[in-house]
Amino acid sequence: PSEVLGLAWEAILEKDYAPVFRPALAVLAALPHDKATGNAIRVVAECANRVADSLSELGYDHAGPLYHRILGSAKSDGAFYTNNLSAIMLARLALTNDLIDWSDSGAVEKLRIIDPACGTGTLLMASLQTIKALVAGRGNGEMAESERNALHKRIVEDVLCGLDINQHGVQLAACNMTLGAPTVDYERMNLVTMPHGPQGEGSPKAGSLEILTAADDARDLSTVTHGAPQRSLETLDAEQVNESEEIRFPLRDLDGCIMNAPFTDHMKRGRKFSRAALKAMQRHEIEIRNRLHERDPDAAAVITTNSISTFFTPLAEKLLRSDRAFLAKVLPVTACTGASGVAERRFLAKRFHIERIVTTHDPKRIAFSENTSIHESLLICRRWPGDDWPPTEFVSLRKMPTSAEEAIEVADAISAGRVGDWGSVCRWPADRIRAGVWTPAQWYDGTLAEAVFNLEGRADLLPSGSALTTGATRQAAQDSWKRDSRDGNPNGIRVFGGVSANIRQTMLDAPEQLVVPGGRRAHLHERVRLSGGHLMLAERYNTVSGRLTALWSETSTFGFGWIPSAGPDREYEKAVCAWWNSTPGRMLLLNRRAKTLTYPKWSKQHLKSVPCPRPETQGSNALTKAWEQVKGVPLLPLAQAESCAARQVIDAAAAVALGVTGDEIADWRRRLAREPTITNVRATDCAKELG
């Protein structure tokens, strides 16, 4: 069996697919030539034959999951495999019925859609299948096989383009593009491996990002790749070898860009390079940003040098035509909420109408990518004429589809404005979107998003940083102090050792962890100690099991996971502690979640921006009294808010501080307790339950 396979694979190598079949041949050569191995190969071959026809019929990327599971370079490149079902949803939401006249074959052939980080071609495959479905849907009857093959060929050769830095991924994308029409002779495929990293004696290359600094007259790929692409562009059909036509795919005035851009920091991305090579690559990327700044300062302002993903938004914008074009991408939910992403959000909202943001609130499937543990969204935006832009639609999925049929169903339901049992919808006016306020992405219940927006705009509240001074962060504490279990150490003090709900349950608490000076910055231990305070603000919070976001101690100290703070007096510190743990206080904190939605981490700058009541006001006094009343009563997790005696008391005081009725706060409390990121179960129909 190994000889039969070897001969067949060598014949395929005469055409292309080298990164796929050279390793395969090496594996065959390394295997023992015995009966057991022969039997194993026969079993695998039999399985392959059984599924081969169904793979062609499905026409989706089946190599991606395996590729990302076994090839370490995918993770180091920051690559994300987009789940096939997610790709179907994104493509169907982007490629709408009214984009062009789908019954006009000429209009279809003129479409130009690119994925500048295509990987194994998942999104390109979904786009291909969506276009074929749209064309077929405008016909008078079922298309003949010859018509389907001709359409497939036109889309592959003219409409779609994929770029990537990983040669193996590009080869697999080429394999995938033949699915659905495996007998077609393709004259070209617009799939290119872009040079990346050190280039011998020359300067390093930045993959697709090189397009950002290409001359304005660089109208196609041949002027950007700086020589022949790394992969062969010979024809990939299975029957004969033809000389491939030169790629002339344009790099401007494109109709669409669909992507799941790499999202990683330089340290992870640079593990396969030497320190010197990594520094050279970083300098080159900074040069790209600086050169872009000369032509488009707003676009360059989006780029942050610690994450490669920020380069891809201005790249996509530069590729697209000024009218009728769409940008569709997968992005972390925190890109919609974090302070670090506000420049990118404002840039996008200035150049495009942000049509729709779809977020998964299904606790079992929090991402649209397979190899990530962060919450993700789908972003669809379009060029829009004039200044009168409609609202942005935020769709929160209650559950993720489990089949291609369901993925098509949910995408079509969203497009038609009939989300139904799939989730909930919140519409946000254009002025908020242009200001970079995209916070509804993190809330399943849009009522909460509106309530928090109004809270943040209240003039009778002030940023906590205006009334509080803050001390050392968790990182500073850990750098200069170390845990110690020995009593009697003259240099030892007690601090708050963590934010665990098992040990942090009441708003009045005492430090328990013994620490002594130590760590890589032990010389700063005294500065950290002197920055201590009685009020402790949590730097992180588990939304499912966590109890406290603030506490107060009779002892002035600091903590690991807590930022010590000091107010004008102890009474106001206690008021802030109660406010921080109240329902509106929690809503304000959760409205700027970073990292993940279920375990957000907050910077000192964010905590200082959270609005709170002013000192020496009726509301502040009510909160202080509430703190005194329930300071020793355990707070329950948010999902159990309705049975939490302490929360009832501090919420009543928060209502006084805000000048609203207790019923309004109670409504927020019930809605917050039903959020999927708090219950860790799928949402029910909040509108029916809460009226």
Side-chain angles (χ1 to χ4, degrees):
S2 61
E3 292 178 2
V4 174
L5 280 182
L7 289 172
W9 291 352
E10 286 171 357
I12 294 173
L13 272 178
E14 294 178 6
K15 303 174 184 297
D16 206 337
Y17 302 104
V20 177
F21 285 97
R22 280 179 184 156
L25 285 166
V27 170
L28 281 183
L31 291 174
H33 295 279
D34 55 23
K35 185 176 180 180
T37 302
N39 289 337
I41 292 175
R42 287 189 178 95
V43 171
V44 174
E46 182 182 348
C47 293
N49 281 327
R50 283 206 306 267
V51 302
D53 291 338
S54 61
L55 289 180
S56 296
E57 292 169 4
L58 290 174
Y60 302 121
D61 176 12
H62 299 276
L66 179 62
Y67 167 68
H68 284 277
R69 197 172 292 175
I70 66 175
L71 291 183
S73 60
K75 293 183 178 180
S76 64
D77 290 338
F80 292 90
Y81 164 67
T82 310
N83 178 278
N84 277 319
L85 306 185
S86 305
I88 293 170
M89 285 192 288
L90 186 59
R92 290 187 75 91
L93 289 170
L95 292 157
T96 55
N97 279 309
D98 58 356
L99 181 66
I100 60 169
D101 181 358
W102 295 103
S103 63
D104 183 349
S105 59
V108 174
E109 289 181 16
K110 291 178 182 178
L111 270 179
R112 296 294 181 266
I113 298 168
I114 193 169
D115 182 349
C118 69
T120 55
T122 312
L123 290 169
L124 292 175
M125 285 295 297
S127 299
L128 187 151
Q129 297 300 326
T130 300
I131 293 172
K132 290 168 67 174
L134 287 165
V135 172
R138 293 297 178 93
N140 296 323
E142 185 176 352
M143 297 174 66
E145 183 179 358
S146 60
E147 291 179 302
R148 292 196 300 269
N149 286 347
L151 175 60
H152 189 105
K153 177 182 172 72
R154 290 198 301 272
I155 297 170
V156 169
E157 291 184 348
D158 298 319
V159 176
L160 300 177
C161 176
L163 314 177
D164 204 89
I165 63 174
N166 193 297
Q167 190 179 23
H168 294 89
V170 170
Q171 284 282 348
L172 289 172
C175 297
N176 284 327
M177 295 291 273
T178 67
L179 292 176
T183 61
V184 170
D185 292 343
Y186 300 97
E187 296 178 8
R188 63 181 171 273
M189 285 188 175
N190 304 309
L191 298 168
V192 177
T193 304
M194 299 295 287
H196 179 254
Q199 302 292 306
E201 299 298 324
S203 62
K205 299 301 178 186
S208 301
L209 308 186
E210 297 293 336
I211 297 172
L212 279 170
T213 56
D216 288 339
D217 60 353
R219 294 180 174 272
D220 57 59
L221 286 175
S222 62
T223 61
V224 177
T225 53
H226 305 289
Q230 292 179 24
R231 67 179 292 274
S232 170
L233 296 177
E234 293 178 347
T235 195
L236 302 181
D237 70 88
E239 296 184 7
Q240 63 184 45
V241 177
N242 296 323
E243 188 68 21
S244 175
E245 293 184 8
E246 185 178 3
I247 292 178
R248 286 293 178 184
F249 198 90
L251 291 177
R252 59 164 60 183
D253 298 330
L254 304 183
D255 299 283
C257 177
I258 186 167
M259 63 181 177
N260 188 350
F263 190 85
T264 189
D265 58 43
H266 279 302
M267 295 307 296
K268 292 180 181 178
R269 189 164 55 94
R271 284 181 295 186
K272 61 185 178 183
F273 298 109
S274 67
R275 183 178 295 273
L278 180 59
K279 286 185 177 295
M281 292 168 61
Q282 291 173 337
R283 286 194 299 269
H284 180 59
E285 289 168 4
I286 292 173
E287 290 173 2
I288 291 175
R289 181 194 63 184
N290 293 342
R291 290 170 62 184
L292 176 63
H293 185 271
E294 297 173 3
R295 303 200 314 269
D296 192 342
D298 290 342
V302 171
I303 296 172
T304 60
T305 55
N306 67 328
S307 177
I308 196 66
S309 66
T310 56
F311 284 83
F312 280 84
T313 294
L315 170 62
E317 196 276 336
K318 293 298 176 191
L319 290 169
L320 295 173
R321 59 192 293 172
S322 59
D323 66 322
R324 198 174 56 82
F326 69 83
L327 169 59
K329 63 184 295 189
V330 182
L331 75 166
V333 176
T334 53
C336 300
T337 61
S340 61
V342 67
E344 182 176 20
R345 297 195 294 272
R346 289 174 177 171
F347 172 78
L348 281 168
K350 184 178 180 180
R351 305 287 174 96
F352 299 90
H353 166 234
I354 310 304
E355 178 179 274
R356 186 174 286 117
I357 297 174
V358 181
T359 305
T360 166
H361 287 260
D362 186 340
K364 299 181 185 301
R365 295 267 306 281
I366 66 171
F368 292 101
S369 304
E370 288 293 334
N371 57 323
T372 183
S373 59
I374 63 174
H375 290 77
E376 287 185 317
S377 296
L378 303 178
L379 169 69
I380 301 94
C381 45
R382 303 184 191 278
R383 302 289 197 192
W384 197 268
D387 297 323
D388 186 19
W389 293 4
T392 293
E393 187 174 87
F394 288 87
V395 179
S396 298
L397 293 180
R398 182 181 73 84
K399 57 181 179 179
M400 285 282 279
T402 57
S403 66
E405 291 75 18
E406 283 192 348
I408 293 171
E409 177 187 335
V410 66
D412 292 350
I414 291 170
S415 295
R418 298 189 297 270
V419 176
D421 188 51
W422 286 105
S424 63
V425 177
C426 170
R427 291 175 177 82
W428 216 237
D431 58 337
R432 298 181 189 175
I433 296 298
R434 289 195 184 106
V437 183
W438 298 8
T439 50
Q442 66 194 322
W443 300 103
Y444 182 81
D445 186 346
T447 302
L448 291 172
E450 186 68 31
V452 183
F453 178 81
N454 293 329
L455 282 173
E456 290 185 333
R458 290 184 61 125
D460 56 341
L461 301 179
L462 84 167
S464 64
S466 300
L468 301 174
T469 57
T470 53
T473 64
R474 170 178 175 268
Q475 189 63 56
Q478 290 183 328
D479 284 351
S480 54
W481 293 81
K482 61 181 182 180
R483 301 174 191 268
D484 196 318
S485 59
R486 298 169 298 171
D487 288 324
N489 191 318
N491 296 318
I493 61 174
R494 293 195 180 274
V495 303
F496 288 98
V499 296
S500 169
N502 294 327
I503 56 175
R504 305 272 92 89
Q505 299 189 8
T506 61
M507 291 188 291
L508 176 63
D509 208 344
E512 85 296 346
Q513 177 64 56
L514 183 65
V515 295
V516 295
R520 64 186 183 92
R521 304 182 70 185
H523 60 286
L524 299 178
H525 75 274
E526 185 64 11
R527 180 186 299 181
V528 170
R529 187 185 68 80
L530 292 175
S531 75
H534 297 276
L535 174 64
M536 312 296 292
L537 306 178
E539 288 184 288
R540 56 185 65 197
Y541 177 66
N542 188 318
T543 61
V544 177
S545 62
R547 297 171 182 257
L548 294 170
T549 45
L551 58 84
W552 194 87
S553 169
E554 294 285 356
T555 304
S556 177
T557 186
F558 57 92
F560 299 149
W562 301 90
I563 293 183
S565 303
D569 52 49
R570 293 190 171 194
E571 286 68 28
Y572 184 67
E573 292 174 359
K574 295 172 182 177
V576 172
C577 182
W579 172 258
W580 229 251
N581 287 296
S582 70
T583 293
R586 293 283 175 87
M587 289 163 57
L588 287 163
L589 283 167
L590 295 177
N591 203 44
R592 292 289 188 274
R593 285 177 256 192
K595 301 296 183 184
T596 65
L597 299 185
T598 50
Y599 195 44
K601 300 176 183 178
W602 298 300
S603 67
K604 181 188 289 191
Q605 289 70 27
H606 168 65
L607 295 179
K608 292 169 69 173
S609 71
V610 174
C612 59
R614 300 175 182 273
E616 299 180 354
T617 59
Q618 181 181 3
S620 174
N621 294 336
L623 286 163
T624 302
K625 292 178 181 178
W627 185 91
E628 292 286 359
Q629 183 178 343
V630 295
K631 62 186 178 184
V633 179
L635 277 155
L636 300 181
L638 283 176
Q640 303 171 39
E642 288 303 289
S643 56
C644 180
R647 188 169 305 284
Q648 308 284 336
V649 173
I650 58 178
D651 276 359
V656 174
L658 294 172
V660 300
T661 65
D663 289 343
E664 187 169 357
I665 297 282
D667 182 59
W668 296 347
R669 185 171 62 241
R670 287 194 295 272
R671 291 179 182 274
L672 185 61
R674 285 169 169 78
E675 281 287 298
T677 53
I678 288 167
T679 62
N680 201 34
V681 297
R682 284 178 174 170
T684 54
D685 191 336
C686 293
K688 292 180 180 178
E689 288 195 11
L690 301 174

